[in-house]
Amino acid sequence: MQGPDLSVAAFLLLSALTLGGGGGVIFSGNIVYSALSLMVSFLGVAGLYVMLEADFVAGVQVLVYVGGVLVLTLFAVMLTHRIEDIKVSNRDVGKLPGLAAALAMFAGLIAALEVAPWKLPAEGVAHEAFASTQSIGNALLGRYVLPFEVASIVLLSVLVGAVVLSRKEVAEPRVSDDA
Amino acid sequence: MPEALGLQHFLLVGAALFCMGLYCVLTRRNAIGILMGVELVLNAANVNYIAFSRYGVGGVDGQVFSIFVIMLAAAEAAIGLAIVLGIYRRSGSIDVSQMTSLRG
């Protein structure tokens, strides 16, 4: 059988991409390299979404993360560092306690993964694929219409807030109405 | 035909990614590095949502939630980086161990 082997190979490749990118983010001493590794990780996650039949979310992931968040991060990196001192820009301290905490968390998650009673479909029920874009559209304008509208307000306030926070403060001449 | 890949495999990747993000947040001293760690954590949560949506019984709900998470992550990045830029303009450094002006 060709199918399962191929999907396992794709899964291993995409997880290696995702986790390798994550490793680059956390171990690189140069923050520009960290940002580029973050892109690799985002693309690996998008590939995992495709494997999980979530093609619309994969597209959103590429558009928003790779096209938006990453470019924003790179802009912030470039604006906050002089080009000369960028080599040691990503200092990390407390490696040992951090590693211990992360490994303890990982062990706890693995233990939870083993014992948790996941609510899976009954044995023998074949998984049926559905058109994800159409179902998401119906869900967003049906059952989830209130969160959807709240999200638009959140995005508007974020837009205004980011502009207010990051603009240059101009010393305006005060309009003195009372001498 | 039994499926070669199950829910557990994807949850494992999500757990590993989450712990990487946690390590990044704990050890970085660069504020932008910390924000990158937060992005890794949010991505790990999204992988779990999508995996449950595929292998669980929730249908499309997991995908809808992951879209909300992506939206909030973008909002968080925009506001977080704007704050970082503001701090840089005020103090000339984005090293979080030097942001002690609120210490009593």
Side-chain angles (χ1 to χ4, degrees), chain A residues 25 42 49 89-90 93 113, chain B residues 8 27-28 30 43 46 89:
Chain A
V25 173
F42 285 162
Y49 291 168
S89 48
N90 211 0
V93 297
L113 220 154
Chain B
Q8 314 263 335
T27 57
R28 286 298 187 208
N30 187 326
N43 262 282
N46 267 345
R89 202 176 297 133

Side-chain angles (χ1 to χ4, degrees), chain B residues 20-68:
Chain B
M20 282 180 169
L22 182 69
Y23 176 81
C24 189
V25 172
L26 285 176
T27 57
R28 286 298 187 208
R29 282 299 169 265
N30 187 326
I32 298 177
I34 292 178
L35 285 176
M36 287 183 191
V38 175
E39 300 295 337
L40 283 183
V41 169
L42 290 169
N43 262 282
N46 267 345
V47 169
N48 280 14
Y49 269 132
I50 303 278
F52 281 123
S53 158
R54 163 70 174 78
Y55 290 105
V57 292
V60 80
D61 287 3
Q63 299 191 16
V64 174
F65 269 88
S66 74
I67 286 182
F68 283 121

Side-chain angles (χ1 to χ4, degrees), chain A residues 110-149:
Chain A
I110 297 295
L113 220 154
E114 289 297 324
V115 301
W118 303 121
K119 210 175 160 193
L120 296 176
E123 285 292 329
V125 178
H127 170 75
E128 52 192 81
F130 49 86
S132 73
T133 309
Q134 187 184 5
S135 329
I136 288 174
N138 282 333
L140 274 182
L141 288 181
R143 193 169 163 206
Y144 293 104
V145 68
L146 183 64
F148 181 69
E149 296 298 335

Side-chain angles (χ1 to χ4, degrees), chain A:
Chain A
M1 209 58 173
Q2 184 71 6
D5 290 340
L6 205 59
S7 70
V8 169
F11 171 75
L12 288 178
L13 183 71
L14 290 171
S15 341
L17 215 60
T18 304
L19 298 180
V25 173
I26 64 180
F27 290 124
S28 172
N30 182 332
I31 195 159
V32 179
Y33 291 164
S34 275
L36 294 178
S37 309
L38 196 63
M39 179 181 77
V40 173
S41 190
F42 285 162
L43 287 176
V45 170
L48 287 178
Y49 291 168
V50 173
M51 282 201 70
L52 288 166
E53 299 169 12
D55 40 337
F56 179 75
V57 184
V60 170
Q61 165 93 1
V62 172
L63 283 178
V64 174
Y65 271 111
V66 182
V69 171
L70 202 72
V71 171
L72 209 61
T73 308
L74 278 174
F75 261 112
V77 169
M78 297 303 173
L79 285 174
T80 52
H81 287 282
R82 290 179 296 280
I83 298 297
E84 310 93 66
D85 65 359
I86 212 160
K87 288 227 165 39
V88 283
S89 48
N90 211 0
R91 208 157 59 83
D92 46 2
V93 297
K95 277 186 195 174
L96 224 51
L99 202 62
L103 285 181
M105 187 78 201
F106 191 60
L109 286 177
I110 297 295
L113 220 154
E114 289 297 324
V115 301
W118 303 121
K119 210 175 160 193
L120 296 176
E123 285 292 329
V125 178
H127 170 75
E128 52 192 81
F130 49 86
S132 73
T133 309
Q134 187 184 5
S135 329
I136 288 174
N138 282 333
L140 274 182
L141 288 181
R143 193 169 163 206
Y144 293 104
V145 68
L146 183 64
F148 181 69
E149 296 298 335
V150 172
S152 64
I153 297 180
V154 169
L155 284 179
L156 178 66
S157 46
V158 162
L159 195 69
V160 176
V163 169
V164 169
L165 280 172
S166 58
R167 75 181 165 166
K168 280 215 163 52
E169 297 209 9
V170 184
E172 301 171 21
R174 283 177 62 96
V175 185
S176 53
D177 42 7
D178 50 352

